[in-house]
Amino acid sequence: MLTEDINGVQQKLKKFLNFKNLQTCLKEAILLDYYVSGFLWARGMDFSVTQYSKFMTLLDMLLHNLRTLHMSLEDSIKWLGEVMAEIGPPHSQKNEEWSFFNIKQANAIIDYLKISLFQHYKLYEFLFYSTREEIVIGTEQMIEVVKPSGGLLPDPLEEGISFDIYSTFIEPPPTLDAEVKGLDQEQVPEEFQSEANISDADPLVGFTIEDIKSVLGQVTDDILIGIQTEINEKLQIQEEAFNARIEKLKKA
């Protein structure tokens, strides 16, 4: 891992920690970033392989104290102080487990932990202790589409369309009839057009009101005379029938 770039270190630690849901699990993403950042910082300090191992163990133990032992920030800082107090030369009868770092390196480790873990201690507590709602990253929706004509559902209403769209694309333009009429007139021969023009002319053109009144009067008189004659004929027939009955009654 000492020769890997950032992506290589991340892939190695991801496999070692058995993280498989980095894209959806916030906890795994944060923990991987915690270890990757610590390893890259240690590589910048030119630690030896043993010092790498001890430093990464220290990072893991701090998280263990927080996650499992529920240590508060004060207790975690106190525990780190006790561990760092064991640092010293191997022959001074100190704890040999942490005697691989000198005083300068120990101070650098404390400064790093201050800005990495301790500064965001509340956030790490929230990560391990608080339950979070499941974020919905996908959903399915059923959309009912209007069926074509002849189905159980009616066709879409014209009122559901804006007037501009309806008048432009659905309603026929007002000049369409005039254009069709003009084309029909161009295709029809002139003699048929003249006959059509004559038939379309007003038949009362050239007559005055007096002429129309006299014509209507004659028509009315003819109709009334015909009706009166028909009534007189029917009355005469009925009169003859009544006279014949009267004569029969007299003879009886």
mmCIF file of all heavy atoms in Angstrom, residues 88-129:
data_model
loop_
_atom_site.group_PDB
_atom_site.id
_atom_site.type_symbol
_atom_site.label_atom_id
_atom_site.label_comp_id
_atom_site.label_asym_id
_atom_site.label_seq_id
_atom_site.Cartn_x
_atom_site.Cartn_y
_atom_site.Cartn_z
ATOM 1 N N GLY A 88 8.601 6.741 24.719
ATOM 2 C CA GLY A 88 9.937 7.084 25.189
ATOM 3 C C GLY A 88 10.944 6.086 24.664
ATOM 4 O O GLY A 88 10.575 5.127 23.964
ATOM 5 N N PRO A 89 12.208 6.213 24.979
ATOM 6 C CA PRO A 89 13.221 5.274 24.515
ATOM 7 C C PRO A 89 12.946 3.881 25.044
ATOM 8 O O PRO A 89 12.379 3.704 26.132
ATOM 9 C CB PRO A 89 14.527 5.835 25.078
ATOM 10 C CG PRO A 89 14.225 7.273 25.363
ATOM 11 C CD PRO A 89 12.775 7.331 25.724
ATOM 12 N N PRO A 90 13.303 2.811 24.316
ATOM 13 C CA PRO A 90 13.030 1.434 24.730
ATOM 14 C C PRO A 90 13.677 1.067 26.050
ATOM 15 O O PRO A 90 13.170 0.227 26.776
ATOM 16 C CB PRO A 90 13.603 0.598 23.582
ATOM 17 C CG PRO A 90 13.632 1.536 22.407
ATOM 18 C CD PRO A 90 13.904 2.879 22.973
ATOM 19 N N HIS A 91 14.807 1.715 26.414
ATOM 20 C CA HIS A 91 15.515 1.291 27.614
ATOM 21 C C HIS A 91 14.989 1.981 28.860
ATOM 22 O O HIS A 91 15.531 1.801 29.948
ATOM 23 C CB HIS A 91 17.027 1.628 27.480
ATOM 24 C CG HIS A 91 17.266 3.088 27.194
ATOM 25 N ND1 HIS A 91 17.216 4.044 28.176
ATOM 26 C CD2 HIS A 91 17.549 3.716 26.020
ATOM 27 C CE1 HIS A 91 17.479 5.238 27.631
ATOM 28 N NE2 HIS A 91 17.687 5.058 26.326
ATOM 29 N N SER A 92 13.963 2.811 28.768
ATOM 30 C CA SER A 92 13.481 3.579 29.925
ATOM 31 C C SER A 92 12.381 2.839 30.684
ATOM 32 O O SER A 92 11.707 3.443 31.506
ATOM 33 C CB SER A 92 12.969 4.943 29.497
ATOM 34 O OG SER A 92 11.890 4.785 28.590
ATOM 35 N N GLN A 93 12.190 1.560 30.374
ATOM 36 C CA GLN A 93 11.189 0.718 31.035
ATOM 37 C C GLN A 93 9.771 1.275 30.873
ATOM 38 O O GLN A 93 8.933 1.148 31.742
ATOM 39 C CB GLN A 93 11.523 0.544 32.518
ATOM 40 C CG GLN A 93 12.843 -0.181 32.739
ATOM 41 C CD GLN A 93 13.107 -0.446 34.198
ATOM 42 O OE1 GLN A 93 12.274 -0.153 35.050
ATOM 43 N NE2 GLN A 93 14.269 -1.024 34.482
ATOM 44 N N LYS A 94 9.515 1.956 29.735
ATOM 45 C CA LYS A 94 8.166 2.388 29.409
ATOM 46 C C LYS A 94 7.437 1.222 28.730
ATOM 47 O O LYS A 94 7.988 0.163 28.488
ATOM 48 C CB LYS A 94 8.213 3.593 28.473
ATOM 49 C CG LYS A 94 8.964 4.786 29.062
ATOM 50 C CD LYS A 94 8.136 5.504 30.094
ATOM 51 C CE LYS A 94 8.829 6.777 30.569
ATOM 52 N NZ LYS A 94 8.024 7.520 31.539
ATOM 53 N N ASN A 95 6.196 1.439 28.400
ATOM 54 C CA ASN A 95 5.431 0.437 27.673
ATOM 55 C C ASN A 95 5.989 0.298 26.267
ATOM 56 O O ASN A 95 5.969 1.238 25.485
ATOM 57 C CB ASN A 95 3.948 0.858 27.612
ATOM 58 C CG ASN A 95 3.084 -0.252 27.063
ATOM 59 O OD1 ASN A 95 3.575 -1.232 26.530
ATOM 60 N ND2 ASN A 95 1.777 -0.082 27.233
ATOM 61 N N GLU A 96 6.550 -0.879 25.961
ATOM 62 C CA GLU A 96 7.205 -1.071 24.674
ATOM 63 C C GLU A 96 6.216 -1.051 23.512
ATOM 64 O O GLU A 96 6.624 -0.929 22.357
ATOM 65 C CB GLU A 96 7.975 -2.404 24.687
ATOM 66 C CG GLU A 96 9.122 -2.432 25.677
ATOM 67 C CD GLU A 96 9.887 -3.728 25.593
ATOM 68 O OE1 GLU A 96 9.468 -4.588 24.781
ATOM 69 O OE2 GLU A 96 10.872 -3.877 26.326
ATOM 70 N N GLU A 97 4.922 -1.195 23.789
ATOM 71 C CA GLU A 97 3.949 -1.230 22.695
ATOM 72 C C GLU A 97 3.929 0.079 21.936
ATOM 73 O O GLU A 97 3.733 0.096 20.724
ATOM 74 C CB GLU A 97 2.564 -1.540 23.266
ATOM 75 C CG GLU A 97 1.488 -1.656 22.190
ATOM 76 C CD GLU A 97 0.143 -1.994 22.793
ATOM 77 O OE1 GLU A 97 0.047 -2.114 24.021
ATOM 78 O OE2 GLU A 97 -0.821 -2.125 22.006
ATOM 79 N N TRP A 98 4.089 1.217 22.621
ATOM 80 C CA TRP A 98 4.023 2.528 21.978
ATOM 81 C C TRP A 98 5.358 3.253 21.977
ATOM 82 O O TRP A 98 5.415 4.446 21.744
ATOM 83 C CB TRP A 98 2.982 3.398 22.691
ATOM 84 C CG TRP A 98 1.628 2.770 22.665
ATOM 85 C CD1 TRP A 98 1.011 2.122 23.678
ATOM 86 C CD2 TRP A 98 0.741 2.699 21.539
ATOM 87 N NE1 TRP A 98 -0.203 1.641 23.279
ATOM 88 C CE2 TRP A 98 -0.407 1.995 21.963
ATOM 89 C CE3 TRP A 98 0.806 3.144 20.229
ATOM 90 C CZ2 TRP A 98 -1.471 1.737 21.130
ATOM 91 C CZ3 TRP A 98 -0.273 2.888 19.383
ATOM 92 C CH2 TRP A 98 -1.393 2.196 19.828
ATOM 93 N N SER A 99 6.451 2.552 22.245
ATOM 94 C CA SER A 99 7.764 3.206 22.309
ATOM 95 C C SER A 99 8.425 3.331 20.950
ATOM 96 O O SER A 99 9.592 3.678 20.876
ATOM 97 C CB SER A 99 8.687 2.401 23.250
ATOM 98 O OG SER A 99 8.872 1.078 22.726
ATOM 99 N N PHE A 100 7.667 3.063 19.876
ATOM 100 C CA PHE A 100 8.246 3.164 18.530
ATOM 101 C C PHE A 100 8.206 4.593 18.003
ATOM 102 O O PHE A 100 8.796 4.890 16.971
ATOM 103 C CB PHE A 100 7.490 2.249 17.555
ATOM 104 C CG PHE A 100 7.591 0.799 17.927
ATOM 105 C CD1 PHE A 100 6.575 0.156 18.629
ATOM 106 C CD2 PHE A 100 8.725 0.062 17.583
ATOM 107 C CE1 PHE A 100 6.682 -1.175 18.961
ATOM 108 C CE2 PHE A 100 8.826 -1.273 17.921
ATOM 109 C CZ PHE A 100 7.793 -1.904 18.614
ATOM 110 N N PHE A 101 7.507 5.528 18.662
ATOM 111 C CA PHE A 101 7.425 6.919 18.229
ATOM 112 C C PHE A 101 8.265 7.792 19.160
ATOM 113 O O PHE A 101 8.282 7.588 20.376
ATOM 114 C CB PHE A 101 5.971 7.407 18.258
ATOM 115 C CG PHE A 101 5.054 6.628 17.350
ATOM 116 C CD1 PHE A 101 4.189 5.670 17.869
ATOM 117 C CD2 PHE A 101 5.043 6.841 15.978
ATOM 118 C CE1 PHE A 101 3.340 4.946 17.051
ATOM 119 C CE2 PHE A 101 4.200 6.125 15.146
ATOM 120 C CZ PHE A 101 3.347 5.175 15.679
ATOM 121 N N ASN A 102 8.889 8.781 18.570
ATOM 122 C CA ASN A 102 9.602 9.752 19.388
ATOM 123 C C ASN A 102 8.653 10.870 19.812
ATOM 124 O O ASN A 102 7.477 10.888 19.435
ATOM 125 C CB ASN A 102 10.815 10.313 18.638
ATOM 126 C CG ASN A 102 10.430 10.917 17.297
ATOM 127 O OD1 ASN A 102 9.374 11.535 17.157
ATOM 128 N ND2 ASN A 102 11.280 10.726 16.297
ATOM 129 N N ILE A 103 9.165 11.807 20.587
ATOM 130 C CA ILE A 103 8.316 12.864 21.129
ATOM 131 C C ILE A 103 7.730 13.713 20.006
ATOM 132 O O ILE A 103 6.545 14.088 20.038
ATOM 133 C CB ILE A 103 9.117 13.735 22.109
ATOM 134 C CG1 ILE A 103 9.649 12.871 23.273
ATOM 135 C CG2 ILE A 103 8.249 14.872 22.650
ATOM 136 C CD1 ILE A 103 8.577 12.205 24.080
ATOM 137 N N LYS A 104 8.521 14.034 18.989
ATOM 138 C CA LYS A 104 8.054 14.865 17.878
ATOM 139 C C LYS A 104 6.918 14.170 17.123
ATOM 140 O O LYS A 104 5.910 14.789 16.782
ATOM 141 C CB LYS A 104 9.220 15.179 16.944
ATOM 142 C CG LYS A 104 8.841 16.085 15.801
ATOM 143 C CD LYS A 104 10.059 16.390 14.946
ATOM 144 C CE LYS A 104 9.688 17.297 13.773
ATOM 145 N NZ LYS A 104 10.871 17.609 12.915
ATOM 146 N N GLN A 105 7.098 12.892 16.865
ATOM 147 C CA GLN A 105 6.061 12.138 16.156
ATOM 148 C C GLN A 105 4.799 12.016 17.007
ATOM 149 O O GLN A 105 3.680 12.083 16.492
ATOM 150 C CB GLN A 105 6.586 10.763 15.785
ATOM 151 C CG GLN A 105 7.666 10.776 14.711
ATOM 152 C CD GLN A 105 8.290 9.413 14.493
ATOM 153 O OE1 GLN A 105 8.285 8.558 15.402
ATOM 154 N NE2 GLN A 105 8.870 9.207 13.312
ATOM 155 N N ALA A 106 4.958 11.848 18.331
ATOM 156 C CA ALA A 106 3.810 11.748 19.227
ATOM 157 C C ALA A 106 3.004 13.042 19.226
ATOM 158 O O ALA A 106 1.762 13.023 19.187
ATOM 159 C CB ALA A 106 4.274 11.399 20.634
ATOM 160 N N ASN A 107 3.700 14.170 19.243
ATOM 161 C CA ASN A 107 3.001 15.466 19.188
ATOM 162 C C ASN A 107 2.254 15.640 17.862
ATOM 163 O O ASN A 107 1.143 16.171 17.818
ATOM 164 C CB ASN A 107 3.994 16.608 19.394
ATOM 165 C CG ASN A 107 4.533 16.649 20.819
ATOM 166 O OD1 ASN A 107 3.843 16.242 21.774
ATOM 167 N ND2 ASN A 107 5.755 17.141 20.994
ATOM 168 N N ALA A 108 2.893 15.177 16.778
ATOM 169 C CA ALA A 108 2.238 15.268 15.466
ATOM 170 C C ALA A 108 0.989 14.395 15.422
ATOM 171 O O ALA A 108 -0.043 14.781 14.854
ATOM 172 C CB ALA A 108 3.221 14.869 14.370
ATOM 173 N N ILE A 109 1.067 13.203 16.031
ATOM 174 C CA ILE A 109 -0.097 12.308 16.072
ATOM 175 C C ILE A 109 -1.233 12.956 16.862
ATOM 176 O O ILE A 109 -2.400 12.920 16.453
ATOM 177 C CB ILE A 109 0.295 10.950 16.677
ATOM 178 C CG1 ILE A 109 1.224 10.197 15.723
ATOM 179 C CG2 ILE A 109 -0.950 10.114 16.981
ATOM 180 C CD1 ILE A 109 1.789 8.917 16.315
ATOM 181 N N ILE A 110 -0.895 13.583 17.986
ATOM 182 C CA ILE A 110 -1.934 14.234 18.796
ATOM 183 C C ILE A 110 -2.583 15.384 18.021
ATOM 184 O O ILE A 110 -3.810 15.568 18.039
ATOM 185 C CB ILE A 110 -1.323 14.728 20.112
ATOM 186 C CG1 ILE A 110 -0.888 13.531 20.966
ATOM 187 C CG2 ILE A 110 -2.317 15.597 20.870
ATOM 188 C CD1 ILE A 110 -0.145 13.910 22.227
ATOM 189 N N ASP A 111 -1.772 16.167 17.313
ATOM 190 C CA ASP A 111 -2.319 17.275 16.519
ATOM 191 C C ASP A 111 -3.234 16.765 15.408
ATOM 192 O O ASP A 111 -4.291 17.358 15.122
ATOM 193 C CB ASP A 111 -1.181 18.096 15.922
ATOM 194 C CG ASP A 111 -0.395 18.853 16.987
ATOM 195 O OD1 ASP A 111 -0.970 19.089 18.077
ATOM 196 O OD2 ASP A 111 0.779 19.200 16.728
ATOM 197 N N TYR A 112 -2.844 15.649 14.780
ATOM 198 C CA TYR A 112 -3.684 15.092 13.715
ATOM 199 C C TYR A 112 -5.009 14.586 14.265
ATOM 200 O O TYR A 112 -6.084 14.822 13.682
ATOM 201 C CB TYR A 112 -2.948 13.954 12.995
ATOM 202 C CG TYR A 112 -3.835 13.250 11.992
ATOM 203 C CD1 TYR A 112 -4.126 13.822 10.757
ATOM 204 C CD2 TYR A 112 -4.415 12.012 12.303
ATOM 205 C CE1 TYR A 112 -4.967 13.181 9.859
ATOM 206 C CE2 TYR A 112 -5.247 11.369 11.405
ATOM 207 C CZ TYR A 112 -5.523 11.953 10.176
ATOM 208 O OH TYR A 112 -6.344 11.335 9.293
ATOM 209 N N LEU A 113 -4.958 13.861 15.373
ATOM 210 C CA LEU A 113 -6.193 13.348 15.963
ATOM 211 C C LEU A 113 -7.098 14.479 16.446
ATOM 212 O O LEU A 113 -8.334 14.341 16.441
ATOM 213 C CB LEU A 113 -5.871 12.414 17.122
ATOM 214 C CG LEU A 113 -5.175 11.096 16.733
ATOM 215 C CD1 LEU A 113 -4.794 10.309 17.984
ATOM 216 C CD2 LEU A 113 -6.092 10.259 15.843
ATOM 217 N N LYS A 114 -6.502 15.591 16.813
ATOM 218 C CA LYS A 114 -7.293 16.734 17.261
ATOM 219 C C LYS A 114 -8.147 17.302 16.131
ATOM 220 O O LYS A 114 -9.316 17.625 16.329
ATOM 221 C CB LYS A 114 -6.349 17.805 17.819
ATOM 222 C CG LYS A 114 -7.056 19.071 18.273
ATOM 223 C CD LYS A 114 -6.076 20.097 18.786
ATOM 224 C CE LYS A 114 -6.798 21.391 19.175
ATOM 225 N NZ LYS A 114 -5.831 22.428 19.652
ATOM 226 N N ILE A 115 -7.567 17.414 14.915
ATOM 227 C CA ILE A 115 -8.307 18.012 13.788
ATOM 228 C C ILE A 115 -9.123 16.982 13.006
ATOM 229 O O ILE A 115 -9.994 17.356 12.207
ATOM 230 C CB ILE A 115 -7.338 18.725 12.826
ATOM 231 C CG1 ILE A 115 -6.371 17.712 12.204
ATOM 232 C CG2 ILE A 115 -6.592 19.834 13.541
ATOM 233 C CD1 ILE A 115 -5.470 18.311 11.142
ATOM 234 N N SER A 116 -8.852 15.692 13.209
ATOM 235 C CA SER A 116 -9.564 14.677 12.436
ATOM 236 C C SER A 116 -10.712 14.059 13.224
ATOM 237 O O SER A 116 -11.875 14.104 12.808
ATOM 238 C CB SER A 116 -8.600 13.580 11.979
ATOM 239 O OG SER A 116 -8.020 12.941 13.108
ATOM 240 N N LEU A 117 -10.401 13.468 14.401
ATOM 241 C CA LEU A 117 -11.419 12.765 15.169
ATOM 242 C C LEU A 117 -12.043 13.636 16.244
ATOM 243 O O LEU A 117 -13.276 13.772 16.301
ATOM 244 C CB LEU A 117 -10.823 11.508 15.801
ATOM 245 C CG LEU A 117 -11.759 10.708 16.713
ATOM 246 C CD1 LEU A 117 -12.952 10.168 15.918
ATOM 247 C CD2 LEU A 117 -11.017 9.568 17.397
ATOM 248 N N PHE A 118 -11.241 14.251 17.085
ATOM 249 C CA PHE A 118 -11.775 14.971 18.241
ATOM 250 C C PHE A 118 -12.580 16.203 17.841
ATOM 251 O O PHE A 118 -13.559 16.555 18.502
ATOM 252 C CB PHE A 118 -10.630 15.363 19.177
ATOM 253 C CG PHE A 118 -9.924 14.186 19.782
ATOM 254 C CD1 PHE A 118 -8.579 14.270 20.149
ATOM 255 C CD2 PHE A 118 -10.585 12.991 19.999
ATOM 256 C CE1 PHE A 118 -7.931 13.182 20.705
ATOM 257 C CE2 PHE A 118 -9.933 11.904 20.553
ATOM 258 C CZ PHE A 118 -8.607 12.000 20.913
ATOM 259 N N GLN A 119 -12.184 16.866 16.758
ATOM 260 C CA GLN A 119 -12.911 18.060 16.332
ATOM 261 C C GLN A 119 -14.323 17.714 15.843
ATOM 262 O O GLN A 119 -15.228 18.535 15.908
ATOM 263 C CB GLN A 119 -12.125 18.775 15.237
ATOM 264 C CG GLN A 119 -12.723 20.120 14.824
ATOM 265 C CD GLN A 119 -11.817 20.857 13.848
ATOM 266 O OE1 GLN A 119 -10.651 20.493 13.669
ATOM 267 N NE2 GLN A 119 -12.340 21.902 13.235
ATOM 268 N N HIS A 120 -14.498 16.492 15.364
ATOM 269 C CA HIS A 120 -15.798 16.065 14.846
ATOM 270 C C HIS A 120 -16.361 14.908 15.682
ATOM 271 O O HIS A 120 -17.076 14.048 15.159
ATOM 272 C CB HIS A 120 -15.657 15.615 13.386
ATOM 273 C CG HIS A 120 -14.996 16.628 12.505
ATOM 274 N ND1 HIS A 120 -15.601 17.796 12.109
ATOM 275 C CD2 HIS A 120 -13.747 16.649 11.961
ATOM 276 C CE1 HIS A 120 -14.771 18.497 11.340
ATOM 277 N NE2 HIS A 120 -13.641 17.822 11.239
ATOM 278 N N TYR A 121 -16.067 14.912 16.975
ATOM 279 C CA TYR A 121 -16.432 13.792 17.832
ATOM 280 C C TYR A 121 -17.958 13.625 17.922
ATOM 281 O O TYR A 121 -18.468 12.499 17.904
ATOM 282 C CB TYR A 121 -15.840 13.997 19.225
ATOM 283 C CG TYR A 121 -15.643 12.719 20.001
ATOM 284 C CD1 TYR A 121 -14.534 11.905 19.767
ATOM 285 C CD2 TYR A 121 -16.559 12.315 20.965
ATOM 286 C CE1 TYR A 121 -14.341 10.734 20.478
ATOM 287 C CE2 TYR A 121 -16.377 11.140 21.678
ATOM 288 C CZ TYR A 121 -15.260 10.354 21.426
ATOM 289 O OH TYR A 121 -15.072 9.175 22.126
ATOM 290 N N LYS A 122 -18.683 14.737 17.992
ATOM 291 C CA LYS A 122 -20.135 14.671 18.066
ATOM 292 C C LYS A 122 -20.735 14.031 16.811
ATOM 293 O O LYS A 122 -21.728 13.295 16.885
ATOM 294 C CB LYS A 122 -20.708 16.071 18.268
ATOM 295 C CG LYS A 122 -20.376 16.698 19.627
ATOM 296 C CD LYS A 122 -21.041 15.927 20.753
ATOM 297 C CE LYS A 122 -20.769 16.597 22.094
ATOM 298 N NZ LYS A 122 -21.385 15.846 23.228
ATOM 299 N N LEU A 123 -20.129 14.309 15.673
ATOM 300 C CA LEU A 123 -20.621 13.724 14.432
ATOM 301 C C LEU A 123 -20.400 12.210 14.418
ATOM 302 O O LEU A 123 -21.260 11.455 13.952
ATOM 303 C CB LEU A 123 -19.939 14.367 13.232
ATOM 304 C CG LEU A 123 -20.214 15.867 13.033
ATOM 305 C CD1 LEU A 123 -19.427 16.375 11.838
ATOM 306 C CD2 LEU A 123 -21.701 16.124 12.850
ATOM 307 N N TYR A 124 -19.244 11.771 14.937
ATOM 308 C CA TYR A 124 -19.009 10.323 15.009
ATOM 309 C C TYR A 124 -19.949 9.669 16.007
ATOM 310 O O TYR A 124 -20.404 8.533 15.789
ATOM 311 C CB TYR A 124 -17.555 10.047 15.369
ATOM 312 C CG TYR A 124 -16.600 10.238 14.225
ATOM 313 C CD1 TYR A 124 -15.897 11.420 14.065
ATOM 314 C CD2 TYR A 124 -16.403 9.227 13.277
ATOM 315 C CE1 TYR A 124 -15.014 11.603 13.005
ATOM 316 C CE2 TYR A 124 -15.531 9.395 12.226
ATOM 317 C CZ TYR A 124 -14.842 10.587 12.081
ATOM 318 O OH TYR A 124 -13.979 10.753 11.031
ATOM 319 N N GLU A 125 -20.263 10.343 17.116
ATOM 320 C CA GLU A 125 -21.250 9.800 18.053
ATOM 321 C C GLU A 125 -22.621 9.669 17.379
ATOM 322 O O GLU A 125 -23.312 8.670 17.551
ATOM 323 C CB GLU A 125 -21.353 10.712 19.280
ATOM 324 C CG GLU A 125 -20.157 10.623 20.218
ATOM 325 C CD GLU A 125 -20.306 11.538 21.411
ATOM 326 O OE1 GLU A 125 -21.098 12.497 21.337
ATOM 327 O OE2 GLU A 125 -19.621 11.295 22.432
ATOM 328 N N PHE A 126 -22.981 10.671 16.629
ATOM 329 C CA PHE A 126 -24.249 10.612 15.908
ATOM 330 C C PHE A 126 -24.252 9.468 14.892
ATOM 331 O O PHE A 126 -25.263 8.800 14.696
ATOM 332 C CB PHE A 126 -24.490 11.945 15.203
ATOM 333 C CG PHE A 126 -25.769 11.998 14.424
ATOM 334 C CD1 PHE A 126 -26.974 12.259 15.039
ATOM 335 C CD2 PHE A 126 -25.766 11.779 13.046
ATOM 336 C CE1 PHE A 126 -28.156 12.303 14.322
ATOM 337 C CE2 PHE A 126 -26.938 11.815 12.322
ATOM 338 C CZ PHE A 126 -28.145 12.082 12.959
ATOM 339 N N LEU A 127 -23.091 9.232 14.277
ATOM 340 C CA LEU A 127 -22.989 8.169 13.277
ATOM 341 C C LEU A 127 -23.246 6.800 13.897
ATOM 342 O O LEU A 127 -23.925 5.952 13.310
ATOM 343 C CB LEU A 127 -21.605 8.209 12.628
ATOM 344 C CG LEU A 127 -21.273 7.105 11.635
ATOM 345 C CD1 LEU A 127 -22.140 7.246 10.383
ATOM 346 C CD2 LEU A 127 -19.792 7.142 11.266
ATOM 347 N N PHE A 128 -22.716 6.565 15.107
ATOM 348 C CA PHE A 128 -22.820 5.242 15.714
ATOM 349 C C PHE A 128 -24.063 5.068 16.586
ATOM 350 O O PHE A 128 -24.564 3.942 16.720
ATOM 351 C CB PHE A 128 -21.582 4.959 16.567
ATOM 352 C CG PHE A 128 -20.320 4.792 15.764
ATOM 353 C CD1 PHE A 128 -19.245 5.641 15.946
ATOM 354 C CD2 PHE A 128 -20.211 3.791 14.810
ATOM 355 C CE1 PHE A 128 -18.074 5.486 15.225
ATOM 356 C CE2 PHE A 128 -19.051 3.635 14.076
ATOM 357 C CZ PHE A 128 -17.980 4.486 14.280
ATOM 358 N N TYR A 129 -24.569 6.133 17.186
ATOM 359 C CA TYR A 129 -25.629 5.990 18.169
ATOM 360 C C TYR A 129 -27.018 6.361 17.649
ATOM 361 O O TYR A 129 -28.017 5.868 18.190
ATOM 362 C CB TYR A 129 -25.340 6.862 19.403
ATOM 363 C CG TYR A 129 -24.012 6.582 20.055
ATOM 364 C CD1 TYR A 129 -23.338 7.581 20.764
ATOM 365 C CD2 TYR A 129 -23.423 5.324 19.974
ATOM 366 C CE1 TYR A 129 -22.127 7.328 21.368
ATOM 367 C CE2 TYR A 129 -22.204 5.072 20.576
ATOM 368 C CZ TYR A 129 -21.557 6.075 21.266
ATOM 369 O OH TYR A 129 -20.350 5.829 21.861
#
